[in-house]
C-alpha cells in the first residue's frame, strides 16, 4: 500500500474535501481524486462519501478504520525518518573502539576528546586489549574500530597513524650505555624485558632478533611499559621500546640509545574489517582521524 495515497487520504479528511486538500498539498484535484480511487480499488472498499458541492466529505465505516491506521502508519514513518536523520547527523549512536594498551594514551586521548566534543550524544565504548585480542574482538563484532600494529594488506583496511623509531632502554652503568647508538646485533646474549605474548610488539621483537641471529637471554615478560622500564633500572635486563614511550617512562639510572641496523619500527594504525559496513559513529571517528592528520596536530 502506497503511504503517499494514505497521506492524501488523511489530508482530504482533515481539509473536509478534495479541493482544499489539493491546495494544501500542492497537487491537482484530478490527480488527488485518481489517487483515492486507486486506494479504494486496491482495498475493494469505499472510504469516503462524497456529498454535494460545498459539503464536507464523510468517512464510511471502512474509511474510519483506514483513517485510524493511516494516522498511525504516517506517525511511525515520521518517527523512523527523524531517527534516521539523527543517525545521519551523528547525533546518536555508539562508537565501539578497541585501544592498544601501548601508545593509545599518547596518540588517541586527544582525538577521543575532540570526538566527544564534536559528537556529545554518541556513546563511547572503549576496549583496551593487546593486538591479538583486538583482532579477535573485531572478528566477533565486539568493536568496529581498533588501534594497534597490524599488516593492513591483510583482511583489514585502515590508516597509519604514527611511526616511531625503536630504542634500547638500558641501565646507565651498562657497558653498551657508552655507545651513541646500538646495533641490534650487539644485543646477542643480553637479558631482555619483553611484553607479554598478546602484545604485537612481543612477536615483532622476537622476529627481528631471530632474523639478526640475536639470542635473548633470560627474558622477563611484562604488560606495562613503566614496570618494564623499572625492571631495567633495577638491572634485570634491557628493553626495546618505541622512542616516545621510552622517553615518557624514563626514570633515573636509565639511558636511551637509538637501535640501528634493523628495519624494526613501531607503527600505530586505526583499522577495521574490509567486509563490513561501518556505522555513522565509526565513520565519524575515521574522518576525524584523517582531519587530525591533515592538520599536522
Amino acid at each position: 500500500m502506497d503511504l503517499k495515497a494514505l497521506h492524501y487520504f488523511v489530508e482530504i479528511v482533515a481539509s473536509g474535501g478534495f479541493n482544499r486538500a489539493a491546495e494544501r498539498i500542492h497537487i491537482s484535484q484530478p490527480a488527488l481524486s485518481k489517487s483515492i480511487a486507486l486506494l479504494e480499488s486496491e482495498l475493494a472498499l469505499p472510504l469516503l462519501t462524497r456529498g454535494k458541492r460545498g459539503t464536507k466529505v464523510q468517512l464510511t465505516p471502512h474509511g474510519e478504520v483506514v483513517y485510524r491506521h493511516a494516522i498511525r502508519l504516517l506517525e511511525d514513518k515520521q518517527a523512523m525518518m527523524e531517527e534516521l536523520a539523527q543517525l545521519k547527523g551523528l547525533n546518536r549512536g555508539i562508537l565501539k573502539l578497541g585501544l592498544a594498551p601501548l601508545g593509545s594514551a599518547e596518540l588517541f586521548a586527544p582525538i577521543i576528546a575532540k570526538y566527544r566534543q564534536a559528537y556529545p550524544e554518541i556513546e563511547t565504548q572503549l576496549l583496551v586489549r593487546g593486538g591479538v585480542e583486538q583482532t579477535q574482538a573485531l572478528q566477533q563484532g565486539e568493536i568496529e574500530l581498533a588501534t594497534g600494529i597490524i599488516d593492513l594488506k591483510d583482511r583489514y583496511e585502515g590508516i597509519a597513524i604514527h611511526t616511531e623509531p625503536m630504542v634500547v632502554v638500558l641501565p646507565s652503568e651498562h657497558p653498551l650505555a657508552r655507545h651513541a647508538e646500538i646495533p641490534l646485533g650487539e644485543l646477542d646474549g643480553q637479558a631482555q624485558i619483553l611484553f607479554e605474548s598478546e602484545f604485537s610488539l612481543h612477536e615483532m621483537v622476537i622476529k627481528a632478533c631471530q632474523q639478526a641471529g640475536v639470542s635473548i637471554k633470560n627474558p622477563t615478560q611484562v604488560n606495562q611499559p613503566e614496570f618494564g622500564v623499572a625492571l631495567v633500572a633495577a638491572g634485570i635486563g634491557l628493553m626495546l621500546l618505541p622512542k616516545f614511550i621510552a622517553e615518557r617512562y624514563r626514570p633515573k639510572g636509565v639511558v636511551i640509545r637509538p637501535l640501528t641496523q634493523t628495519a624494526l619500527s613501531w607503527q600505530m594504525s586505526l583499522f577495521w574489517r574490509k567486509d563490513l559496513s561501518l556505522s555513522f559513529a565509526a565513520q565519524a571517528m575515521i574522518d576525524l582521524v584523517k582531519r587530525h592528520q591533515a592538520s599536522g596536530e
Side-chain angles (χ1 to χ4, degrees):
M1 184 177 296
D2 187 1
L3 286 178
K4 183 181 292 185
L6 291 178
H7 170 62
Y8 292 165
F9 175 67
V10 169
E11 286 293 340
I12 290 170
V13 175
S15 302
F18 283 76
N19 289 336
R20 188 172 298 176
E23 293 174 359
R24 288 180 56 176
I25 58 180
H26 306 292
I27 187 175
S28 69
Q29 196 274 336
L32 184 58
S33 297
K34 181 179 179 180
S35 177
I36 299 305
L38 289 174
L39 179 61
E40 291 178 320
S41 176
E42 179 182 357
L43 296 173
L45 293 167
L47 302 179
L48 296 170
T49 299
R50 298 159 176 81
K52 296 180 181 180
R53 181 179 293 274
T55 62
K56 290 185 177 181
V57 297
Q58 300 292 324
L59 287 169
T60 66
H62 307 107
E64 290 177 355
V65 173
V66 173
Y67 179 80
R68 185 171 66 252
H69 286 280
I71 292 293
R72 189 179 306 162
L73 287 170
L74 292 171
E75 288 176 348
D76 287 344
K77 176 190 175 184
Q78 182 63 28
M80 178 188 71
M81 297 305 295
E82 289 176 357
E83 188 170 347
L84 289 174
Q86 286 179 327
L87 288 175
K88 289 180 180 179
L90 301 174
N91 294 322
R92 297 177 61 184
I94 301 175
L95 173 68
K96 298 180 179 181
L97 173 63
L99 292 173
L102 189 64
S104 291
E106 292 81 1
L107 297 177
F108 274 92
I111 295 175
I112 293 172
K114 287 186 176 181
Y115 184 90
R116 292 294 300 272
Q117 183 179 9
Y119 311 112
E121 298 301 318
I122 293 182
E123 179 183 347
T124 305
Q125 296 181 0
L126 305 179
L127 177 70
V128 180
R129 294 291 187 273
V132 175
E133 291 180 293
Q134 288 272 46
T135 54
Q136 290 176 348
L138 271 180
Q139 292 303 317
Q140 294 170 3
E142 296 178 26
I143 55 177
E144 282 191 277
L145 304 176
T147 67
I149 304 170
I150 194 168
D151 183 3
L152 295 177
K153 295 179 182 179
D154 199 359
R155 50 188 167 181
Y156 302 105
E157 185 176 356
I159 309 168
I161 302 297
H162 184 81
T163 300
E164 190 77 10
M166 297 292 290
V167 296
V168 184
V169 184
L170 65 166
S172 55
E173 300 301 322
H174 195 282
L176 291 176
R178 297 193 298 267
H179 299 186
E181 55 187 32
I182 302 175
L184 180 58
E186 292 294 322
L187 303 185
D188 186 39
Q190 297 285 341
Q192 284 197 41
I193 314 297
L194 300 174
F195 282 102
E196 294 177 351
S197 58
E198 63 264 24
F199 287 74
S200 299
L201 194 56
H202 173 93
E203 183 179 353
M204 290 174 58
V205 169
I206 290 179
K207 184 177 180 180
C209 288
Q210 289 174 343
Q211 291 176 344
V214 171
S215 62
I216 300 176
K217 179 183 176 183
N218 298 327
T220 301
Q221 296 190 25
V222 298
N223 60 14
Q224 295 179 351
E226 57 266 44
F227 185 54
V229 175
L231 292 178
V232 172
I236 303 299
L238 314 177
M239 191 172 190
L240 302 185
L241 282 173
K243 182 180 178 182
F244 77 123
I245 299 293
E247 290 177 341
R248 176 179 179 181
Y249 295 110
R250 176 169 54 182
K252 293 182 179 179
V254 165
V255 297
I256 298 172
R257 297 290 182 262
L259 180 67
T260 61
Q261 296 184 10
T262 178
L264 181 63
S265 65
W266 182 89
Q267 184 179 75
M268 172 75 82
S269 296
L270 176 70
F271 60 98
W272 54 91
R273 288 173 58 177
K274 288 182 177 180
D275 59 335
L276 293 181
S277 298
L278 296 174
S279 68
F280 291 109
Q283 189 60 56
M285 172 56 77
I286 293 171
D287 294 340
L288 181 61
V289 168
K290 289 180 178 178
R291 293 196 300 271
H292 186 83
Q293 286 186 298
S295 66
E297 296 179 11

